[in-house]
Amino acid sequence: MEKIRKEFPVLRKGIYANTAVYGLLYDSLLEWRQEHDLDFLIDGSDMREQSLKVISDTRSTVGRFFNCKRENVALVSNFSSGLNILLEGLSATKKVLLVKNDYPSLNWSFENRDFEVSYIEQTTDLEERIKEKITTQKIDVLALSLVQWLDGFAIDLDFLKELKKENPNLIIMVDGTQFCGSTSFDFDNSGIDVLGASAYKWLLAGYGNGFMLFSNQVKNEFTINNIGFNAADGDFDKKNDIRFAKKFEPGHLSSLIFGSLKYSIDFFERIGMDKITARNRKLGEKAKSEFEKLGLLTDEIVNRKQHSTIFNIKADSVVFQKLKDNDVFCAQRGDGVRLSFHFYNTEAEIDAIVKILKTDR
């Protein structure tokens, strides 16, 4: 991984424990983006066919990477935009279950409409309590983040798969922004009906690109009125024959922005998602163990068998400033300091952070 770390100039400035805010730009992606714009500068409209191919290839790449049928992939500028388009097509009679304090763009999108919304507290036994609520309250839609933005709480993916088997009519919708790119994932065998994600965090693709993945069931549950010439591939005859996922792409898409997503996925595949998954699992286990020893994690997180690589440690603004003064990139979230680690981090960096934290005890 040391060779790969050299791709990321920011790592020479300090310890980057802030991927949950923004995934790093890297040298080879920047080179690709510059070459793309240079081609556009020189060729102008002659770039059109090449640009269309980039968009098409990006859709195929996203589908392959997450094992989702190509025709069920929508390319969107970000998760929030895609979700709002989708919810305009969902019947307001649906009963929705949300997790309290989940990402605002997720919860607000439901709360701002006429759905019957109920909530569940994030607790160590969250999965068991979700199952109970769905049974007793006859929930139609479960919507939650696969990894919680505030503290890295990770939902059990096997639980979602079993939940869908037991409740085939339940619509499971997830925000994958703090998850996608951190570990291998098989959408078509996950039991999830809708996964939306912005790609500027763990997929390292820069701002302005994201995607929505849909199960085959979804098109029967939503009525999407979004439309545009691009959705019909610029063909007048296709106005009334636009597939479900393409309705999320009414206007032209940027080959620079979405080509960056394709480039990053290709970059991840060159490294190997098995290696990235294993690396992040090791980093997560290391960080959890060390922060637990210092008493910096809540019991809710400590008692979970599985966790992500995002941690919200018990720390005030003084500790936050101390970390910043020691060139640690991190963020204040809620009542603590959030630290997040990706495959370009090292166990030695976690040790260095622990050493800094111990000086304040």
Side-chain angles (χ1 to χ4, degrees):
M1 284 288 181
E2 275 306 311
K3 183 178 179 181
I4 295 168
R5 276 173 56 86
K6 292 178 181 178
E7 283 262 11
F8 301 91
V10 173
L11 300 183
R12 296 192 282 272
K13 295 176 63 177
I15 299 174
Y16 195 80
N18 220 15
T19 301
V21 168
Y22 188 80
L24 291 178
L25 186 63
Y26 50 101
D27 287 336
S28 57
L29 174 57
L30 180 61
E31 290 171 6
W32 179 86
R33 288 164 69 102
Q34 290 173 331
E35 289 174 6
H36 172 282
D37 275 359
L38 182 59
D39 288 342
F40 191 34
L41 176 70
I42 295 171
D43 296 330
S45 61
D46 286 347
M47 272 277 290
R48 184 175 184 275
E49 291 302 318
Q50 180 181 333
S51 295
L52 292 174
K53 185 178 187 304
V54 168
I55 297 299
S56 178
D57 289 348
T58 300
R59 191 187 322 282
S60 298
T61 298
V62 170
R64 183 191 69 247
F65 188 69
F66 293 107
N67 191 31
C68 176
K69 296 180 181 66
R70 184 184 187 280
E71 62 268 23
N72 290 342
V73 175
L75 301 178
V76 296
S77 59
N78 54 63
F79 164 75
S80 303
S81 297
L83 179 63
N84 275 276
I85 292 170
L86 183 65
L87 293 187
E88 284 299 298
L90 182 63
S91 170
T93 62
K94 298 294 186 182
K95 297 178 70 173
V96 179
L97 180 62
L98 304 174
V99 177
K100 278 190 178 179
N101 299 318
D102 207 328
Y103 191 63
S105 289
L106 174 62
N107 282 5
W108 290 356
S109 296
F110 286 95
E111 294 165 354
N112 204 44
R113 292 173 170 84
D114 296 327
F115 302 115
E116 182 180 338
V117 176
S118 58
Y119 299 87
I120 191 165
E121 295 276 357
Q122 180 181 299
T123 56
T124 299
D125 61 344
L126 178 63
E127 288 85 357
E128 296 173 23
R129 297 178 65 245
I130 287 175
K131 186 175 181 180
E132 180 183 348
K133 279 233 179 194
I134 286 172
T135 301
T136 59
Q137 296 188 14
K138 294 181 169 48
I139 297 294
D140 299 304
V141 178
L142 170 66
L144 78 174
S145 295
L146 291 182
V147 172
Q148 290 293 323
W149 69 296
L150 283 174
D151 59 9
F153 186 105
I155 195 74
D156 185 339
L157 295 177
D158 288 335
F159 161 75
L160 292 180
K161 188 173 182 177
E162 288 303 312
L163 185 68
K164 183 66 177 181
K165 286 182 180 177
E166 296 169 4
N167 303 272
N169 294 323
L170 176 69
I171 303 172
I172 300 178
M173 302 172 61
V174 303
D175 178 358
T177 301
Q178 295 288 11
F179 169 80
C180 293
S182 66
T183 188
S184 298
F185 178 67
D186 183 340
F187 176 78
D188 275 351
N189 292 299
S190 68
I192 295 168
D193 294 294
V194 178
L195 182 149
S198 297
Y200 69 93
K201 295 181 186 286
W202 301 88
L203 281 165
L204 315 182
Y207 278 125
N209 55 60
F211 50 87
M212 305 287 287
L213 310 179
F214 303 111
S215 69
N216 289 327
Q217 176 185 343
V218 166
K219 63 191 73 174
N220 300 319
E221 301 286 353
F222 296 83
T223 302
I224 305 301
N225 293 319
N226 231 36
I227 197 167
F229 203 30
N230 182 71
D233 296 323
D235 187 337
F236 286 97
D237 294 333
K238 290 184 178 180
K239 178 184 176 183
N240 299 314
D241 192 29
I242 301 170
R243 69 175 184 269
F244 184 84
K246 280 289 283 184
K247 292 180 179 180
F248 290 77
E249 305 170 15
H252 292 295
L253 302 175
S254 166
S255 56
L256 173 69
I257 298 302
F258 286 95
S260 296
L261 172 56
K262 179 187 183 303
Y263 189 93
S264 266
I265 290 177
D266 290 341
F267 178 65
F268 277 45
E269 290 182 325
R270 287 194 297 272
I271 296 171
M273 273 311 296
D274 55 340
K275 293 180 181 177
I276 290 174
T277 299
R279 173 82 160 203
N280 284 340
R281 183 179 296 117
K282 183 175 290 188
L283 290 170
E285 290 172 352
K286 166 81 172 178
K288 184 180 179 184
S289 175
E290 295 297 334
F291 296 152
E292 182 180 347
K293 290 175 187 175
L294 294 177
L296 298 177
L297 301 178
T298 63
D299 290 342
E300 169 192 307
I301 297 299
V302 169
N303 294 329
R304 294 281 293 180
K305 290 181 179 179
Q306 295 179 327
H307 190 71
S308 66
T309 58
I310 302 173
F311 298 87
N312 195 315
I313 62 171
K314 299 172 185 177
D316 56 20
S317 58
V318 174
V319 175
F320 175 61
Q321 189 59 49
K322 180 79 170 179
L323 288 165
K324 288 180 64 180
D325 290 343
N326 283 273
D327 300 321
V328 177
F329 292 77
C330 53
Q332 286 184 296
R333 291 292 183 270
D335 297 325
V337 171
R338 189 182 66 184
L339 298 156
S340 47
F341 306 98
H342 207 358
F343 66 90
Y344 41 59
N345 290 117
T346 67
E347 292 182 74
E349 288 179 328
I350 294 174
D351 288 333
I353 290 173
V354 169
K355 185 176 180 180
I356 294 167
L357 293 172
K358 284 181 176 179
T359 63
D360 284 310
R361 301 180 70 79

